[in-house]
């Protein structure tokens, strides 16, 4: 467990290149090429984190000023996914999520119940988060571990189900997203797409990044749109002119730099993905596997970024007006592209549809995060997390995730019976999808 924790503490930008280098060697890639591929992915993650840091450090002061200016009194602070992941891996069960996730993945692959070979090991923190909370709610360690198994199975189902759409829309051949936050968004967006197709007027409107740029000219450019949104947020925060302009430029920088960092990730992943496909075709003719990766590969897409930036001020507005909400969005405002990475794929890049469905998703997330706040606060204390003077914390990301609410409510109320029922549902869905794909391939 100490070894596993040490690996986790390295961070995705360090241990993922090591993992991909080893994986590349196993796939038969020359050592130099495998090393360069893994290193490029690590550099891409560092670049991505730098861009997200630009977003966070600039949005933070603006958010605090809006809170002060408009007298907002929301008792629970959204600490964001970096803190949530540290809390998840810092609990008694946290580091168990990695061996549990890997073992479940291997078993499902052996029995042909998933097509996702997950190399995104660091993001098992999503699994650790759910299992740790259930352990905190029930004080049953084995139930918490079993919950990790169930959550992992659902995650692979979502990843396999969405993979063809991910391939088609993002052009990511052989890639799936077993990402605990993004993957459920695919299922969430599907009924909204069906509904929007049947609403007169709305079904004729298609607002994607290309359409906006064509209609609005330079004002429709995603970089310029980022600057405009920065100006609006700065004005709402009643910042000085200099700071408003600085915020505008930084938001524009995020819109321009994010896709370029993602392209670095793709550059490093391409030889790994190609080698994996060659190996599968050689040893498993007729069978297709997906390489499971972080949905960071999708968040630089123009429609995802545009919709997410539009939803930032909307999220703050919703937090204020929703009755019963106690969570002040803060840390996860920069994480919104992860929320909606697969929304955009379902809606084929339609920004309007992504924003409309995103508003519903944010409302649900705020209420779930409010419900989860007491147990997340206790979990943070158990993990010796620095509360920084906050008496109540939550996280819009996994703390507000609708699937986690289902898992945890059923697990807390029905314990073993509830989790076994969820296990059987996940197993049945994986079997159904596997048979469906075989029929389609035939």
């Amino acid at each position: 467990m100490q070894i596993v924790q040490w690996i986790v503490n390295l961070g995705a930008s360090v241990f993922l290149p090591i993992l991909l280098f080893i994986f590349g060697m196993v796939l038969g890639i020359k050592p130099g090429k495998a090393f360069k591929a893994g290193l490029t992915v690590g550099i891409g993650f560092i670049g991505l984190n730098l861009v997200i840091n630009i977003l966070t450090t600039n949005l933070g002061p603006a958010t605090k000023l809006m809170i002060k200016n408009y007298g907002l009194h929301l008792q629970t602070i959204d600490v964001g996914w970096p803190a949530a992941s540290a809390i998840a891996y810092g609990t008694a069960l946290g580091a168990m999520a990695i061996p549990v996730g890997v073992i479940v993945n291997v078993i499902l692959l052996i029995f042909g119940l998933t097509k996702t070979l997950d190399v995104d090991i660091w993001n098992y923190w999503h699994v650790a988060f759910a299992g740790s909370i259930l352990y905190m709610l029930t004080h049953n360690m084995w139930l918490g571990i079993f919950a990790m198994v169930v959550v992992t199975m659902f995650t692979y189902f979502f990843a396999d189900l969405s993979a063809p759409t991910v391939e088609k829309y993002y052009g990511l051949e052989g890639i799936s997203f077993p990402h605990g936050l993004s993957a459920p968004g695919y299922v969430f967006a599907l009924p909204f797409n069906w509904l929007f197709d049947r609403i007169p007027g709305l079904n004729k409107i298609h607002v994607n990044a290309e359409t906006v740029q064509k209609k609005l000219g330079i004002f429709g450019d995603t970089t310029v749109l980022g600057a405009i949104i920065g100006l609006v947020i700065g004005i709402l925060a009643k910042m000085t002119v200099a700071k408003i302009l600085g915020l505008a430029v930084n938001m524009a920088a995020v819109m321009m730099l994010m896709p370029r960092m993602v392209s670095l990730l793709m550059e490093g992943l391409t030889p790994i993905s190609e080698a994996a496909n060659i190996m599968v075709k050689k040893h498993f003719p007729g069978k297709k596997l997906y390489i499971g990766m972080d949905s960071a590969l999708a968040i630089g897409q123009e429609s995802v970024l545009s919709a997410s930036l539009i939803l930032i001020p909307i999220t703050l507005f919703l937090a204020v007006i929703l009755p019963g909400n106690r969570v002040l969005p803060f840390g996860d405002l920069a994480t919104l592209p992860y929320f909606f990475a697969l929304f955009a794929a379902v809606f084929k890049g339609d920004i309007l549809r992504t924003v409309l469905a995103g508003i519903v998703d944010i409302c649900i997330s705020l209420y779930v995060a409010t419900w989860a706040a007491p147990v997340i606060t206790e979990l943070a204390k158990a993990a010796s997390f620095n509360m920084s003077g906050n008496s109540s914390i939550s996280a819009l990301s996994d703390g507000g995730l609708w699937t986690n609410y289902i898992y945890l409510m059923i697990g807390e109320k029905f314990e073993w019976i509830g989790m076994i029922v969820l296990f059987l549902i996940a197993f049945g869905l994986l079997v159904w999808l596997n048979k469906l794909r075989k029929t389609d391939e035939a």
Side-chain angles (χ1 to χ4, degrees):
M1 292 306 299
Q2 288 179 340
I3 293 171
V4 170
Q5 191 64 53
W6 182 83
I7 293 171
V8 169
N9 291 338
L10 290 175
S13 60
V14 176
F15 86 75
L16 192 56
I18 296 172
L19 184 66
L20 288 173
F21 170 70
I22 296 170
F23 188 45
M25 294 284 288
V26 172
L27 293 174
I29 301 176
K30 292 181 178 179
K33 190 176 181 180
F35 177 77
K36 177 70 180 297
L39 189 61
T40 303
V41 169
I43 293 168
F45 266 104
I46 289 172
L48 197 61
N49 287 332
L50 289 172
V51 176
I52 291 174
N53 187 54
I54 292 172
L55 186 60
T56 305
T57 54
N58 284 275
L59 272 180
T63 303
K64 288 181 179 178
L65 283 172
M66 281 191 280
I67 294 166
K68 182 179 178 181
N69 293 336
Y70 298 103
L72 305 184
H73 299 287
L74 297 171
Q75 300 96 326
T76 301
I77 186 72
D78 159 35
V79 293
W81 75 264
S85 62
I87 292 169
Y89 276 139
T91 63
L93 289 185
M96 285 293 293
I98 291 179
V100 167
V102 171
I103 291 169
V104 171
N105 191 205
V106 170
I107 292 172
L108 293 178
L109 284 167
I110 290 172
F111 289 97
L113 293 177
T114 184
K115 292 182 181 296
T116 293
L117 174 60
D118 192 1
V119 300
D120 186 24
I121 306 297
W122 191 83
N123 271 312
Y124 282 127
W125 78 261
H126 298 281
V127 176
F129 191 82
S132 296
I133 287 184
L134 188 59
Y135 174 46
M136 183 67 65
L137 289 169
T138 63
H139 305 289
N140 188 325
M141 181 186 70
W142 292 109
L143 185 62
I145 293 173
F146 187 61
M148 291 181 183
V149 173
V150 172
V151 172
T152 304
M153 291 173 69
F154 272 106
T155 302
Y156 290 136
F157 167 72
F158 293 140
D160 285 356
L161 185 67
S162 60
T165 304
V166 167
E167 277 193 321
K168 185 176 181 180
Y169 181 70
Y170 292 112
L172 301 174
E173 186 177 354
I175 300 292
S176 69
F177 293 149
H179 190 276
L181 175 57
S182 300
Y186 179 82
V187 176
F188 188 89
L190 287 175
F192 283 95
N193 200 44
W194 179 91
L195 177 64
F196 294 152
D197 282 340
R198 284 155 181 80
I199 297 177
L202 184 60
N203 56 10
K204 303 295 183 184
I205 302 173
H206 298 287
V207 186
N208 54 33
E210 294 77 13
T211 304
V212 171
Q213 188 166 351
K214 186 177 180 181
K215 296 287 185 183
L216 300 179
I218 190 171
F219 294 102
D221 182 88
T222 51
T223 306
V224 177
L225 180 62
I228 293 170
I229 293 172
L231 285 171
V232 172
I233 293 174
I235 292 169
L236 289 174
K238 299 180 181 179
M239 301 170 79
T240 64
V241 173
K243 289 184 177 180
I244 290 173
L245 294 175
L247 181 61
V249 173
N250 276 285
M251 293 302 99
V254 168
M255 294 293 277
M256 178 174 283
L257 293 174
M258 190 86 80
R260 306 207 175 173
M261 296 305 103
V262 172
S263 69
L264 274 178
L265 287 172
M266 281 307 304
E267 183 183 331
L269 280 173
T270 298
I272 303 289
S273 181
E274 289 175 349
N277 285 330
I278 291 170
M279 184 200 73
V280 171
K281 287 177 181 178
K282 181 179 178 181
H283 298 286
F284 306 97
K287 189 174 182 180
K288 183 175 184 179
L289 286 183
Y290 298 110
I291 305 300
M293 283 299 302
D294 194 310
S295 57
L297 295 174
I299 65 173
Q301 203 272 340
E302 291 181 334
S303 293
V304 177
L305 275 179
S306 299
S308 299
L309 281 182
I310 291 169
L311 281 162
I312 287 172
I314 293 175
T315 299
L316 289 167
F317 177 71
L318 289 170
V320 175
I321 66 168
L322 286 176
N325 171 57
R326 293 174 178 267
V327 175
L328 174 65
F330 180 69
D332 270 327
L333 288 175
T335 310
L336 291 186
Y338 289 89
F339 280 69
F340 308 119
L342 290 181
F343 279 47
V346 172
F347 300 135
K348 297 180 175 63
D350 193 305
I351 296 172
L352 178 60
R353 292 190 178 198
T354 302
V355 169
L356 291 175
I359 289 172
V360 179
D361 187 49
I362 290 298
C363 289
I364 293 171
S365 295
L366 285 168
Y367 282 124
V368 175
T370 297
W371 167 81
V375 68
I376 292 175
T377 302
E378 289 304 311
L379 195 66
K381 292 176 181 176
S384 301
F385 178 75
N386 182 9
M387 300 283 287
S388 301
N390 298 302
S391 59
S392 177
I393 65 171
S394 191
L396 267 188
S397 50
D398 277 42
L401 194 60
W402 62 274
T403 46
N404 275 350
Y405 180 75
I406 293 171
Y407 304 144
L408 298 173
M409 281 292 290
I410 291 175
E412 181 187 19
K413 188 171 183 179
F414 301 103
E415 297 195 355
W416 281 105
I417 294 174
M419 294 312 298
I420 289 171
V421 169
L422 286 175
F423 171 86
L424 294 174
I425 292 172
F427 180 79
L429 288 170
L430 287 167
V431 171
W432 165 78
L433 185 59
N434 182 56
K435 288 184 178 179
L436 183 66
R437 290 285 159 80
K438 282 184 177 178
T439 303
D440 292 342
E441 291 170 2

